[in-house]
Each structure stands twice: as C-alpha cells, then as structure tokens.
Amino acid sequence: MTYRLHYAPDNASLIIRLALEELGVPYDTLLVDRAAKAQSAPAYLALNPNGLIPTLETPSGAIFETGAILLWLTETHGALAPAPGHKARGDFLKWLFFLSNTVHTELRMMFYPDKYIGADLAYCTKLRAGLQVSLRKHLQKLDALTGEKHNWLGSATVTVLDLYLVTLLRWMALYPASGTKWFSLTDTPHLHALASQIEARNSVRRASHAEGLGPMPFTKPRYARPPEGSAT
C-alpha cells in the first residue's frame, strides 16, 4: 500500500514527510486546507477525531500524533531509530517523547496561547515569556546531548530524532512572527551543525521543494511559499 499523508505545508506533517522521504517509501499527499478549516470537516475527523495535522493512512489504519507516526514508521521499516532490543532503544525513546510531549507541546502553546488561556493579550504575553525561558533550557540540554554524538542523535546515521528536532528549530526561528527575538540558532552550536547536516540531505531537499521552504530550511529559514495550501 502507498501511504497517504494528510498534510499542510510547514505543519507537523513536515516531520512525517521528511521521514517518508528518508525511508524512500511510496506515499501520496492530501492537502488539509487550513484556510478552509478542512481539519474540522467530518471526512477528516473520521480519520483524526482531534482535528489536528498530520494523519497518515497505513495498512494498519489511520495513525495520528506525530510521535506515534514516527515510532510506527521506524518499527515497520526497521530504520531511522535503534531497533527494539538495542541497548540505545531506551535513550532514543525517552528523547523522542521529550520532543513530542514537552518541546513540541510548549511550542504549540507559544504559537496558539489563546487556545489554552483565552485571548487576553496580557495573559498571552506572560505565557509566551515563561515558555521562552523554558524552551531556552530545553535547547541547552539538547545542544549538549547532540554534541555527545550518540548513534541516535547528531551522528552520521540519521534518525527521526534528528528530523523532528531540526523542524522544531525551524519553527522557533519563524513563529510567532512578532515574537522570535528570544531564539538564535547560533546560541547552540551543536544544534546549528545538526541543522546544516540535515538540510543538505537529498530527502530534505525534496521535501523542502514540495512545501516551498527554500534552500536552507533549517539554518536560514524563510516562510513557506508552497504550491498549494498555506502554513497557517
């Protein structure tokens, strides 16, 4: 079966697209038009009742949640992660879930504070300021970890951790448009090197072309100029 990736440009589906491209498996893409709120349409909710992006249709059914899709792909294809039973499997899993449950979640709160605490500007500003402090701490930990050159992060063997992390770095540099001064990739040299390494891969170039991300999507990111749909 050819996978079917329900996506929007420069959304969390980008992480899944990167993994699929790296695996070299066949897949089709189906645009979830955010401008038309297609993620809330009955047909999409039948696949993903949470109305979030991405969803991947597989022989095992529709899978949603970025971390779950990545884990399923690595186990199904035996690539992009230490195999079950490998001594590094536990380390890989705990940092995968750290990215998914902590870093990605805090970024979502940064981008959409009104979804969590309402539209009061003062509250939203305060929440974002607190998240910036928290995210800086996470980045310092991740920079040190990447510099240790484990075989599951920052090594010559690419894993889904690498792909996930550099995409999160991209978003920190771009969103929200009025609140990115807190972040500079050059503050974390090991993460900067990882971003340079990953964006040079042919798989990333294909994904970047498909979503209009430009030639340096992680080290010098620009807003997406996709051939269809929009990032917001």
Side-chain angles (χ1 to χ4, degrees):
M1 171 185 174
T2 297
Y3 296 129
R4 289 162 55 92
L5 175 62
H6 296 259
Y7 90 106
D10 207 14
N11 278 232
S13 50
L14 171 61
I15 303 161
I16 308 304
R17 186 195 286 268
L18 291 170
L20 293 169
E21 288 288 346
E22 192 66 39
L23 288 168
V25 297
Y27 70 98
D28 295 325
T29 56
L30 294 88
L31 176 68
V32 182
D33 188 352
R34 293 188 60 184
K37 299 190 182 302
Q39 67 270 32
S40 300
Y44 189 72
L45 292 175
L47 297 172
N48 185 338
N50 299 313
L52 298 174
I53 303 166
T55 299
L56 185 69
E57 292 187 67
T58 79
S60 299
I63 306 175
F64 51 84
E65 294 296 323
T66 303
I69 298 171
L70 292 174
L71 191 55
W72 187 89
L73 286 171
T74 64
E75 292 178 349
T76 299
H77 294 280
L80 301 184
H86 190 284
K87 65 180 182 180
R89 182 70 173 183
D91 287 331
F92 163 79
L93 288 174
K94 67 189 181 186
W95 288 106
L96 174 64
F97 279 84
F98 177 72
L99 290 185
S100 178
N101 294 359
T102 302
V103 183
H104 195 166
T105 298
E106 290 187 12
L107 280 179
R108 180 171 170 79
M109 294 171 68
M110 176 90 81
F111 302 156
Y112 310 109
D114 56 297
K115 293 182 181 294
Y116 296 89
I117 59 171
D120 185 282
L121 180 60
Y123 287 139
C124 290
T125 300
K126 188 173 183 179
L127 175 60
R128 281 176 166 159
L131 289 169
Q132 290 167 9
V133 173
S134 179
L135 287 163
R136 283 195 194 97
K137 293 178 180 178
H138 300 333
L139 288 173
Q140 290 301 318
K141 291 177 185 176
L142 289 164
D143 187 59
L145 184 71
T146 303
E148 294 171 4
K149 299 295 183 183
H150 299 282
N151 63 1
W152 38 267
L153 179 65
S155 74
T157 303
V158 173
T159 72
V160 294
L161 274 181
D162 298 308
L163 304 176
Y164 204 156
L165 179 50
V166 296
T167 305
L168 297 180
L169 295 173
R170 168 182 169 79
W171 296 337
M172 291 179 199
L174 293 176
Y175 306 109
S178 60
T180 61
K181 291 183 179 179
W182 69 275
F183 173 78
S184 175
L185 185 57
T186 57
D187 290 340
T188 49
H190 298 300
L191 296 181
H192 188 282
L194 175 64
S196 297
Q197 171 193 338
I198 297 300
E199 73 183 7
R201 299 185 68 82
N202 289 332
S203 57
V204 173
R205 289 174 177 150
R206 291 191 295 269
S208 183
H209 177 74
E211 300 201 8
L213 306 183
M216 304 175 76
F218 305 128
T219 59
K220 293 184 178 179
R222 71 179 195 199
Y223 293 112
R225 302 169 188 168
E228 63 174 2
S230 65
T232 58

